Amino acid sequence: MKFGVAIFPTESVPPPSELAVMAEERGFECLLFPEHTHIPASRESPWPGGDELPPWYSRTYDPFVALTAAAMATERLLIGTGICLVIERDPIVTAKEVASIDVLSGGRFLFGVGAGWNAEEMRNHGTEPSRRFSLMRERIEAMKAIWTEDEASYSGRQVGFERIWSWPKPVQKPHPPVLVGGDGPTVLDRVLAYGDEWMPNRVREEELTARIAELNARAAEAGRGSIPVTVVGMAPDPERIERLAQAGVHRVVFWLPQDGLEAVEQGFDRYAGAMHQYQTAG
């Protein structure tokens, strides 16, 4: 089992470089940063996590800027998006950002992707919510073409370009792993279509076990091997972590507190303790 941490990088917590050093020194495998370009003040879309949206959603740094700082401060730590809202990003620009950070980090980038939940936020970027999943697929397919072809072309219904040159190419081949986030009824379709891993967030254990079995059965039918699963939002419970490992989870990620340095340090210590307890028991 691999262990990681995630946090919204804001001015209220230690800088990304310090967070990364704290994670690496404690033996975590990865550090993930989420993304929101902004939060519409109308607040029409309900937040899936509860009634009141926490302030850090509108205060988070750009993930690629923050992750570059994290990468430069560390040597072994994997850094990644958890998740990048590709439906709000130009695919040519994003492909260059992903490749650049993968090169600069020495091949340590994890590309977590998703479509998001805030309809007004999507619309402000010109994305109609009803077509967000088809747009996400095309943008990721287009980025894969840019990463793997010297002279890339892509033709879709919503994304298209012909014969473009774009370097650098990623260190990881054929490209950094694409971790498809989401828990909805059709997420496994997206994982199988263009993902390298599935990254659910806070899914009930029984449901998760059943869906992992379904995912791997469908992967086998498609001629693929077992698909790795990263669970974000894990509780520091070694026994539950072991059950998820038996079900096919290969990485768990803990959410760090957002309430300043002391709270972040306490979160790190609590999660590192659970990680070491699990590893010692194993």
Side-chain angles (χ1 to χ4, degrees), residues 84-108:
C84 173
L85 295 171
V86 295
I87 63 164
E88 299 179 0
R89 286 181 164 269
D90 178 277
I92 298 174
V93 173
T94 306
K96 183 175 285 287
E97 289 179 321
V98 168
S100 297
I101 196 169
D102 196 57
V103 170
L104 293 172
S105 68
R108 291 187 282 139

PDB file of all heavy atoms in Angstrom, residues 84-108:
ATOM      1  N   CYS A  84      -7.381  17.916 -11.345  1.00  0.00           N
ATOM      2  CA  CYS A  84      -7.337  19.005 -12.313  1.00  0.00           C
ATOM      3  C   CYS A  84      -8.658  19.039 -13.073  1.00  0.00           C
ATOM      4  O   CYS A  84      -9.111  18.012 -13.597  1.00  0.00           O
ATOM      5  CB  CYS A  84      -6.177  18.785 -13.278  1.00  0.00           C
ATOM      6  SG  CYS A  84      -6.116  19.961 -14.661  1.00  0.00           S
ATOM      7  N   LEU A  85      -9.272  20.205 -13.139  1.00  0.00           N
ATOM      8  CA  LEU A  85     -10.549  20.354 -13.839  1.00  0.00           C
ATOM      9  C   LEU A  85     -10.276  20.626 -15.317  1.00  0.00           C
ATOM     10  O   LEU A  85     -10.295  21.761 -15.779  1.00  0.00           O
ATOM     11  CB  LEU A  85     -11.361  21.487 -13.207  1.00  0.00           C
ATOM     12  CG  LEU A  85     -11.794  21.228 -11.761  1.00  0.00           C
ATOM     13  CD1 LEU A  85     -12.400  22.485 -11.144  1.00  0.00           C
ATOM     14  CD2 LEU A  85     -12.795  20.073 -11.691  1.00  0.00           C
ATOM     15  N   VAL A  86     -10.039  19.561 -16.059  1.00  0.00           N
ATOM     16  CA  VAL A  86      -9.638  19.708 -17.460  1.00  0.00           C
ATOM     17  C   VAL A  86     -10.741  20.316 -18.323  1.00  0.00           C
ATOM     18  O   VAL A  86     -10.455  20.855 -19.394  1.00  0.00           O
ATOM     19  CB  VAL A  86      -9.182  18.366 -18.059  1.00  0.00           C
ATOM     20  CG1 VAL A  86      -7.927  17.887 -17.366  1.00  0.00           C
ATOM     21  CG2 VAL A  86     -10.273  17.309 -17.950  1.00  0.00           C
ATOM     22  N   ILE A  87     -11.986  20.273 -17.862  1.00  0.00           N
ATOM     23  CA  ILE A  87     -13.065  20.875 -18.639  1.00  0.00           C
ATOM     24  C   ILE A  87     -13.031  22.402 -18.581  1.00  0.00           C
ATOM     25  O   ILE A  87     -13.760  23.078 -19.307  1.00  0.00           O
ATOM     26  CB  ILE A  87     -14.446  20.377 -18.167  1.00  0.00           C
ATOM     27  CG1 ILE A  87     -14.695  20.798 -16.713  1.00  0.00           C
ATOM     28  CG2 ILE A  87     -14.563  18.873 -18.325  1.00  0.00           C
ATOM     29  CD1 ILE A  87     -16.125  20.710 -16.295  1.00  0.00           C
ATOM     30  N   GLU A  88     -12.167  22.936 -17.700  1.00  0.00           N
ATOM     31  CA  GLU A  88     -12.018  24.385 -17.586  1.00  0.00           C
ATOM     32  C   GLU A  88     -10.670  24.856 -18.129  1.00  0.00           C
ATOM     33  O   GLU A  88     -10.271  25.994 -17.886  1.00  0.00           O
ATOM     34  CB  GLU A  88     -12.158  24.800 -16.116  1.00  0.00           C
ATOM     35  CG  GLU A  88     -13.525  24.453 -15.518  1.00  0.00           C
ATOM     36  CD  GLU A  88     -13.651  24.851 -14.053  1.00  0.00           C
ATOM     37  OE1 GLU A  88     -12.675  25.394 -13.508  1.00  0.00           O
ATOM     38  OE2 GLU A  88     -14.723  24.616 -13.470  1.00  0.00           O
ATOM     39  N   ARG A  89      -9.982  23.975 -18.879  1.00  0.00           N
ATOM     40  CA  ARG A  89      -8.622  24.278 -19.320  1.00  0.00           C
ATOM     41  C   ARG A  89      -8.454  24.016 -20.807  1.00  0.00           C
ATOM     42  O   ARG A  89      -8.987  23.040 -21.334  1.00  0.00           O
ATOM     43  CB  ARG A  89      -7.616  23.418 -18.550  1.00  0.00           C
ATOM     44  CG  ARG A  89      -7.410  23.870 -17.121  1.00  0.00           C
ATOM     45  CD  ARG A  89      -6.387  22.991 -16.431  1.00  0.00           C
ATOM     46  NE  ARG A  89      -5.893  23.631 -15.208  1.00  0.00           N
ATOM     47  CZ  ARG A  89      -4.846  24.403 -15.160  1.00  0.00           C
ATOM     48  NH1 ARG A  89      -4.145  24.661 -16.260  1.00  0.00           N
ATOM     49  NH2 ARG A  89      -4.459  24.947 -14.010  1.00  0.00           N
ATOM     50  N   ASP A  90      -7.651  24.851 -21.443  1.00  0.00           N
ATOM     51  CA  ASP A  90      -7.286  24.607 -22.833  1.00  0.00           C
ATOM     52  C   ASP A  90      -6.387  23.373 -22.885  1.00  0.00           C
ATOM     53  O   ASP A  90      -5.392  23.294 -22.157  1.00  0.00           O
ATOM     54  CB  ASP A  90      -6.529  25.822 -23.373  1.00  0.00           C
ATOM     55  CG  ASP A  90      -6.073  25.621 -24.798  1.00  0.00           C
ATOM     56  OD1 ASP A  90      -5.005  24.997 -24.995  1.00  0.00           O
ATOM     57  OD2 ASP A  90      -6.778  26.079 -25.708  1.00  0.00           O
ATOM     58  N   PRO A  91      -6.677  22.394 -23.733  1.00  0.00           N
ATOM     59  CA  PRO A  91      -5.894  21.157 -23.718  1.00  0.00           C
ATOM     60  C   PRO A  91      -4.465  21.320 -24.213  1.00  0.00           C
ATOM     61  O   PRO A  91      -3.569  20.609 -23.748  1.00  0.00           O
ATOM     62  CB  PRO A  91      -6.698  20.219 -24.626  1.00  0.00           C
ATOM     63  CG  PRO A  91      -7.485  21.125 -25.517  1.00  0.00           C
ATOM     64  CD  PRO A  91      -7.816  22.318 -24.672  1.00  0.00           C
ATOM     65  N   ILE A  92      -4.208  22.232 -25.142  1.00  0.00           N
ATOM     66  CA  ILE A  92      -2.848  22.417 -25.643  1.00  0.00           C
ATOM     67  C   ILE A  92      -1.974  23.033 -24.554  1.00  0.00           C
ATOM     68  O   ILE A  92      -0.843  22.597 -24.317  1.00  0.00           O
ATOM     69  CB  ILE A  92      -2.851  23.283 -26.918  1.00  0.00           C
ATOM     70  CG1 ILE A  92      -3.640  22.585 -28.029  1.00  0.00           C
ATOM     71  CG2 ILE A  92      -1.429  23.569 -27.383  1.00  0.00           C
ATOM     72  CD1 ILE A  92      -3.818  23.422 -29.287  1.00  0.00           C
ATOM     73  N   VAL A  93      -2.508  24.053 -23.871  1.00  0.00           N
ATOM     74  CA  VAL A  93      -1.763  24.674 -22.774  1.00  0.00           C
ATOM     75  C   VAL A  93      -1.557  23.680 -21.637  1.00  0.00           C
ATOM     76  O   VAL A  93      -0.464  23.561 -21.063  1.00  0.00           O
ATOM     77  CB  VAL A  93      -2.505  25.927 -22.271  1.00  0.00           C
ATOM     78  CG1 VAL A  93      -1.826  26.484 -21.026  1.00  0.00           C
ATOM     79  CG2 VAL A  93      -2.565  26.987 -23.358  1.00  0.00           C
ATOM     80  N   THR A  94      -2.613  22.941 -21.281  1.00  0.00           N
ATOM     81  CA  THR A  94      -2.515  21.993 -20.173  1.00  0.00           C
ATOM     82  C   THR A  94      -1.549  20.868 -20.495  1.00  0.00           C
ATOM     83  O   THR A  94      -0.799  20.414 -19.610  1.00  0.00           O
ATOM     84  CB  THR A  94      -3.901  21.430 -19.828  1.00  0.00           C
ATOM     85  OG1 THR A  94      -4.806  22.506 -19.591  1.00  0.00           O
ATOM     86  CG2 THR A  94      -3.840  20.559 -18.584  1.00  0.00           C
ATOM     87  N   ALA A  95      -1.531  20.401 -21.726  1.00  0.00           N
ATOM     88  CA  ALA A  95      -0.584  19.359 -22.118  1.00  0.00           C
ATOM     89  C   ALA A  95       0.848  19.834 -21.901  1.00  0.00           C
ATOM     90  O   ALA A  95       1.709  19.081 -21.422  1.00  0.00           O
ATOM     91  CB  ALA A  95      -0.798  18.964 -23.574  1.00  0.00           C
ATOM     92  N   LYS A  96       1.134  21.086 -22.250  1.00  0.00           N
ATOM     93  CA  LYS A  96       2.479  21.622 -22.024  1.00  0.00           C
ATOM     94  C   LYS A  96       2.786  21.759 -20.538  1.00  0.00           C
ATOM     95  O   LYS A  96       3.909  21.485 -20.096  1.00  0.00           O
ATOM     96  CB  LYS A  96       2.646  22.965 -22.729  1.00  0.00           C
ATOM     97  CG  LYS A  96       4.059  23.547 -22.591  1.00  0.00           C
ATOM     98  CD  LYS A  96       4.232  24.812 -23.383  1.00  0.00           C
ATOM     99  CE  LYS A  96       4.358  24.547 -24.884  1.00  0.00           C
ATOM    100  NZ  LYS A  96       5.701  23.940 -25.202  1.00  0.00           N
ATOM    101  N   GLU A  97       1.811  22.170 -19.735  1.00  0.00           N
ATOM    102  CA  GLU A  97       2.031  22.286 -18.292  1.00  0.00           C
ATOM    103  C   GLU A  97       2.330  20.926 -17.674  1.00  0.00           C
ATOM    104  O   GLU A  97       3.251  20.785 -16.860  1.00  0.00           O
ATOM    105  CB  GLU A  97       0.812  22.924 -17.626  1.00  0.00           C
ATOM    106  CG  GLU A  97       0.648  24.396 -17.941  1.00  0.00           C
ATOM    107  CD  GLU A  97      -0.571  24.993 -17.289  1.00  0.00           C
ATOM    108  OE1 GLU A  97      -1.622  24.333 -17.240  1.00  0.00           O
ATOM    109  OE2 GLU A  97      -0.485  26.141 -16.826  1.00  0.00           O
ATOM    110  N   VAL A  98       1.551  19.916 -18.048  1.00  0.00           N
ATOM    111  CA  VAL A  98       1.772  18.570 -17.516  1.00  0.00           C
ATOM    112  C   VAL A  98       3.147  18.054 -17.920  1.00  0.00           C
ATOM    113  O   VAL A  98       3.908  17.531 -17.087  1.00  0.00           O
ATOM    114  CB  VAL A  98       0.671  17.607 -18.012  1.00  0.00           C
ATOM    115  CG1 VAL A  98       1.041  16.156 -17.713  1.00  0.00           C
ATOM    116  CG2 VAL A  98      -0.669  17.955 -17.375  1.00  0.00           C
ATOM    117  N   ALA A  99       3.492  18.184 -19.203  1.00  0.00           N
ATOM    118  CA  ALA A  99       4.799  17.713 -19.664  1.00  0.00           C
ATOM    119  C   ALA A  99       5.926  18.472 -18.995  1.00  0.00           C
ATOM    120  O   ALA A  99       6.946  17.889 -18.598  1.00  0.00           O
ATOM    121  CB  ALA A  99       4.889  17.842 -21.185  1.00  0.00           C
ATOM    122  N   SER A 100       5.763  19.781 -18.837  1.00  0.00           N
ATOM    123  CA  SER A 100       6.817  20.596 -18.230  1.00  0.00           C
ATOM    124  C   SER A 100       7.075  20.190 -16.791  1.00  0.00           C
ATOM    125  O   SER A 100       8.226  20.024 -16.366  1.00  0.00           O
ATOM    126  CB  SER A 100       6.445  22.086 -18.292  1.00  0.00           C
ATOM    127  OG  SER A 100       6.346  22.533 -19.630  1.00  0.00           O
ATOM    128  N   ILE A 101       6.022  20.022 -16.009  1.00  0.00           N
ATOM    129  CA  ILE A 101       6.222  19.673 -14.608  1.00  0.00           C
ATOM    130  C   ILE A 101       6.728  18.243 -14.475  1.00  0.00           C
ATOM    131  O   ILE A 101       7.493  17.920 -13.556  1.00  0.00           O
ATOM    132  CB  ILE A 101       4.929  19.908 -13.784  1.00  0.00           C
ATOM    133  CG1 ILE A 101       5.255  19.917 -12.285  1.00  0.00           C
ATOM    134  CG2 ILE A 101       3.875  18.858 -14.088  1.00  0.00           C
ATOM    135  CD1 ILE A 101       4.105  20.393 -11.428  1.00  0.00           C
ATOM    136  N   ASP A 102       6.357  17.357 -15.401  1.00  0.00           N
ATOM    137  CA  ASP A 102       6.890  16.000 -15.361  1.00  0.00           C
ATOM    138  C   ASP A 102       8.389  16.000 -15.634  1.00  0.00           C
ATOM    139  O   ASP A 102       9.162  15.307 -14.970  1.00  0.00           O
ATOM    140  CB  ASP A 102       6.163  15.110 -16.371  1.00  0.00           C
ATOM    141  CG  ASP A 102       6.407  13.633 -16.111  1.00  0.00           C
ATOM    142  OD1 ASP A 102       6.114  13.173 -14.984  1.00  0.00           O
ATOM    143  OD2 ASP A 102       6.888  12.926 -17.029  1.00  0.00           O
ATOM    144  N   VAL A 103       8.824  16.808 -16.600  1.00  0.00           N
ATOM    145  CA  VAL A 103      10.254  16.917 -16.902  1.00  0.00           C
ATOM    146  C   VAL A 103      11.004  17.557 -15.741  1.00  0.00           C
ATOM    147  O   VAL A 103      12.044  17.062 -15.284  1.00  0.00           O
ATOM    148  CB  VAL A 103      10.477  17.713 -18.206  1.00  0.00           C
ATOM    149  CG1 VAL A 103      11.954  18.045 -18.392  1.00  0.00           C
ATOM    150  CG2 VAL A 103       9.953  16.934 -19.406  1.00  0.00           C
ATOM    151  N   LEU A 104      10.500  18.678 -15.240  1.00  0.00           N
ATOM    152  CA  LEU A 104      11.194  19.404 -14.182  1.00  0.00           C
ATOM    153  C   LEU A 104      11.266  18.607 -12.874  1.00  0.00           C
ATOM    154  O   LEU A 104      12.186  18.803 -12.078  1.00  0.00           O
ATOM    155  CB  LEU A 104      10.520  20.752 -13.941  1.00  0.00           C
ATOM    156  CG  LEU A 104      10.641  21.759 -15.098  1.00  0.00           C
ATOM    157  CD1 LEU A 104       9.762  22.976 -14.827  1.00  0.00           C
ATOM    158  CD2 LEU A 104      12.089  22.178 -15.305  1.00  0.00           C
ATOM    159  N   SER A 105      10.314  17.729 -12.651  1.00  0.00           N
ATOM    160  CA  SER A 105      10.311  16.912 -11.436  1.00  0.00           C
ATOM    161  C   SER A 105      11.047  15.599 -11.619  1.00  0.00           C
ATOM    162  O   SER A 105      11.164  14.814 -10.662  1.00  0.00           O
ATOM    163  CB  SER A 105       8.868  16.626 -10.992  1.00  0.00           C
ATOM    164  OG  SER A 105       8.221  15.765 -11.930  1.00  0.00           O
ATOM    165  N   GLY A 106      11.527  15.325 -12.824  1.00  0.00           N
ATOM    166  CA  GLY A 106      12.194  14.055 -13.075  1.00  0.00           C
ATOM    167  C   GLY A 106      11.235  12.891 -13.172  1.00  0.00           C
ATOM    168  O   GLY A 106      11.564  11.764 -12.796  1.00  0.00           O
ATOM    169  N   GLY A 107      10.030  13.144 -13.686  1.00  0.00           N
ATOM    170  CA  GLY A 107       9.054  12.068 -13.878  1.00  0.00           C
ATOM    171  C   GLY A 107       8.295  11.700 -12.625  1.00  0.00           C
ATOM    172  O   GLY A 107       7.976  10.525 -12.409  1.00  0.00           O
ATOM    173  N   ARG A 108       7.938  12.703 -11.819  1.00  0.00           N
ATOM    174  CA  ARG A 108       7.255  12.436 -10.541  1.00  0.00           C
ATOM    175  C   ARG A 108       5.817  12.932 -10.522  1.00  0.00           C
ATOM    176  O   ARG A 108       5.232  13.086  -9.441  1.00  0.00           O
ATOM    177  CB  ARG A 108       8.039  13.078  -9.390  1.00  0.00           C
ATOM    178  CG  ARG A 108       9.378  12.426  -9.121  1.00  0.00           C
ATOM    179  CD  ARG A 108      10.032  12.981  -7.862  1.00  0.00           C
ATOM    180  NE  ARG A 108      10.657  14.287  -8.073  1.00  0.00           N
ATOM    181  CZ  ARG A 108      10.603  15.292  -7.219  1.00  0.00           C
ATOM    182  NH1 ARG A 108       9.881  15.198  -6.114  1.00  0.00           N
ATOM    183  NH2 ARG A 108      11.230  16.426  -7.473  1.00  0.00           N
TER     184      ARG A 108
END
